[in-house]
Amino acid sequence: MFEPDIAGNVGTILRTAACFGAGVDMIEPAGFPWSARALARAGMDYAAAVEVRRHADWDAFRSVTGGRLVLLTTSGAVDLPDARFAADDVLVVGSEGAGVPRYVHDAAELRVRIPMRQGFRSLNVAVAAGIVLAEALRQTGWDKVTG
């Protein structure tokens, strides 16, 4: 999560990640103070079951993160049904208000767009993350989650 703005969305992403066995990296600054209380409403007790790595900024994240960067973006070059995922892919979502800056967009090796009806510009970031995570796991093996 690149500089998230809304604690409830972070909580929802943490809950989704816990259910699917995915780790979460949070690239700061966030638009809210990080605390268990701020995340409790959406993450509930699931948030404690996910590994969260917090990074002071993009450079700190990049210095410790391997794998191919896959950016979820409304201006993606590849529609989700056509995207091919690898087990070590790192999904990147932007902040709710600003998305990601050009340097993050340029760093992504794969940019994925979720197709939707004409006239609608975007999904909630937590919903989009869940959709793409589920597809990535479908392609790379649900056994990692259920096995």
Side-chain angles (χ1 to χ4, degrees):
M1 296 177 289
F2 182 87
E3 300 181 0
D5 294 331
I6 301 171
N9 285 333
V10 173
T12 300
I13 289 171
L14 293 179
R15 184 177 182 156
T16 301
C19 289
F20 289 134
V24 173
D25 289 272
M26 188 170 97
I27 302 159
E28 298 189 34
F32 58 91
W34 177 269
S35 70
R37 183 175 180 187
L39 303 172
R41 173 177 268 163
M44 298 170 52
D45 56 339
Y46 290 79
V50 64
E51 178 186 342
V52 178
R53 296 187 316 170
R54 294 171 61 195
H55 308 278
D57 56 30
W58 177 254
D59 291 334
F61 166 73
R62 291 298 290 148
S63 71
V64 297
T65 304
R68 178 176 69 161
L69 295 181
V70 177
L71 177 64
L72 285 61
T73 176
T74 57
S75 59
V78 177
D79 281 347
L80 180 59
D82 300 324
R84 295 296 161 251
F85 294 94
D88 65 342
D89 282 347
V90 177
L91 305 180
V92 179
V93 297
S95 71
E96 296 87 337
V100 298
R102 174 57 47 197
Y103 64 87
V104 173
H105 202 275
D106 291 344
E109 295 176 60
L110 175 62
R111 287 169 290 284
V112 175
R113 177 186 169 277
I114 300 171
M116 61 190 93
R117 290 176 45 202
Q118 188 84 5
F120 292 86
R121 91 179 165 265
S122 66
L123 293 164
N124 171 281
V125 68
V127 171
I131 289 169
V132 175
L133 177 59
E135 176 58 17
L137 288 170
R138 186 192 69 79
Q139 290 184 24
T140 62
W142 278 106
D143 58 324
K144 295 172 190 145
V145 175
T146 61

